[in-house]
Amino acid sequence: MEHTVIHDEKVDRFEVFESGQIAYLQYEEGDGILDILHTVVPPQLEGQGIAQSLTEAAIDYAKEKNLKIRPTCAYAKMFFTRHTQYKEMLVD
């Protein structure tokens, strides 16, 4: 399923609005690193691939800005464990 991800740079997050709900990925950027702090998907929206869409948007942003990624949140850690093709983007 395709999701429209909005990047709200004012509050450092990527967002998806679905069915009157908001899901988001909160990040912090500094020193060449994009730190993924939280990925929040309301229970009504779970299982639709929204967290993955948010994470992929963050990856695209990091690529554009030539940033490394620090997956601080539990979902991001799991995502990067499963998607090893991005391992070169991760902070050691």
Side-chain angles (χ1 to χ4, degrees), residues 12-76:
D12 296 334
R13 66 188 207 177
F14 293 91
E15 304 167 333
V16 169
F17 295 93
E18 288 277 331
S19 305
Q21 301 285 320
I22 182 170
Y24 64 91
L25 179 149
Q26 186 78 46
Y27 68 86
E28 187 174 85
E29 183 180 338
D31 298 323
I33 297 171
L34 183 78
D35 190 347
I36 300 175
L37 303 172
H38 306 287
T39 305
V40 178
V41 178
Q44 305 91 315
L45 300 179
E46 290 178 356
Q48 298 179 35
I50 294 174
Q52 180 170 336
S53 294
L54 291 165
T55 304
E56 289 170 348
I59 291 167
D60 291 343
Y61 175 75
K63 284 180 182 177
E64 287 174 23
K65 299 287 188 174
N66 200 27
L67 302 170
K68 290 287 194 178
I69 296 175
R70 176 179 295 126
T72 298
C73 88
Y75 176 82

Side-chain angles (χ1 to χ4, degrees), residues 72-90:
T72 298
C73 88
Y75 176 82
K77 287 178 185 176
M78 182 271 306
F79 178 91
F80 288 106
T81 298
R82 291 183 180 172
H83 296 88
T84 58
Q85 69 268 31
Y86 301 115
K87 66 182 174 202
E88 74 283 350
M89 294 186 71
L90 301 179

